[in-house]
Every structure is written in structure tokens, then in C-alpha cells.
């Protein structure tokens, strides 16, 4: 089977680091809110971010979608096959 890597989306992810950053930001930002509505709106944004991360993990590997752990990234980011191969070659 021949695979065209141009048709595959690679997502490099470091979930522990992203969750840690998210929690740290929430704690700092929460202090600056004056109203409950502001806190709720921010909380919805955090929930959305974590939901996206969960979706990436739930998908794992599908026909055109591969999520993998990459300790070199701070946030989940899309990569090309060439970028993935460059990272892999360093291990």
C-alpha cells in the first residue's frame, strides 16, 4: 500500500505541559476578574481548549489524522510529514 503523506495531518502534542499551562493561566487570570460572568466566560474557553485536546486523543490514528506525543512542543500544533521525520531522526 502506497501512502501519500501529504494527505495525512500530524498533530504533535504534549498534553501534560498544555494542561499544566492551562491550569496556571486559569489561576492567574481568575484573580483579575471582577464579575462571575467573566469567570464563567473564561471557564468556557478553558473547557473548549481541553475538549479539543480530548478530541485529538480520542481520534488517535484515523485514515488522515495522527496525534502523537512530542515533548518538544508547548502547545498542540500541526506538522508536516517532513517535520515529523526531522523530530524522529533526533531520537
Amino acid at each position: 500500500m502506497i501512502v501519500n503523506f501529504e494527505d495525512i495531518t500530524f498533530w504533535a502534542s504534549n498534553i501534560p505541559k498544555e494542561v499544566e499551562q492551562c491550569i496556571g493561566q486559569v489561576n492567574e487570570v481568575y484573580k483579575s476578574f471582577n464579575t462571575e460572568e467573566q469567570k464563567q466566560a473564561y471557564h468556557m474557553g478553558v473547557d473548549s481548549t481541553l475538549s479539543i485536546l480530548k478530541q485529538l486523543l480520542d481520534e488517535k490514528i484515523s485514515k488522515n489524522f495522527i496525534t502523537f506525543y512530542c515533548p518538544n512542543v508547548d502547545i498542540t500544533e500541526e506538522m508536516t510529514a517532513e517535520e515529523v521525520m526531522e523530530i524522529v531522526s533526533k531520537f
Side-chain angles (χ1 to χ4, degrees):
M1 180 169 107
I2 298 174
V3 176
N4 182 351
F5 287 104
E6 300 290 323
D7 294 336
I8 299 174
T9 302
F10 295 93
W11 291 98
S13 184
N14 187 338
I15 301 298
K17 184 179 269 187
E18 286 193 59
V19 170
E20 182 181 312
Q21 288 174 350
C22 191
I23 291 170
Q25 289 173 349
V26 168
N27 290 337
E28 287 301 312
V29 173
Y30 249 46
K31 297 174 188 175
S32 68
F33 293 137
N34 297 320
T35 68
E36 197 60 36
E37 289 81 18
Q38 290 173 322
K39 290 178 182 179
Q40 289 175 351
Y42 189 78
H43 185 69
M44 285 175 49
V46 170
D47 283 348
S48 295
T49 300
L50 293 175
S51 175
I52 291 168
L53 293 175
K54 183 182 180 316
Q55 289 172 29
L56 287 172
L57 291 176
D58 287 346
E59 287 291 324
K60 295 177 186 159
I61 297 175
S62 67
K63 185 176 179 182
N64 297 56
F65 187 87
I66 298 174
T67 302
F68 64 96
Y69 173 72
C70 182
N72 302 339
V73 299
D74 291 327
I75 60 170
T76 300
E77 60 184 68
E78 186 175 350
M79 292 190 164
T80 64
E82 291 80 21
E83 290 170 322
V84 172
M85 293 307 295
E86 184 178 325
I87 290 171
V88 171
S89 70
K90 294 177 183 177
F91 290 108

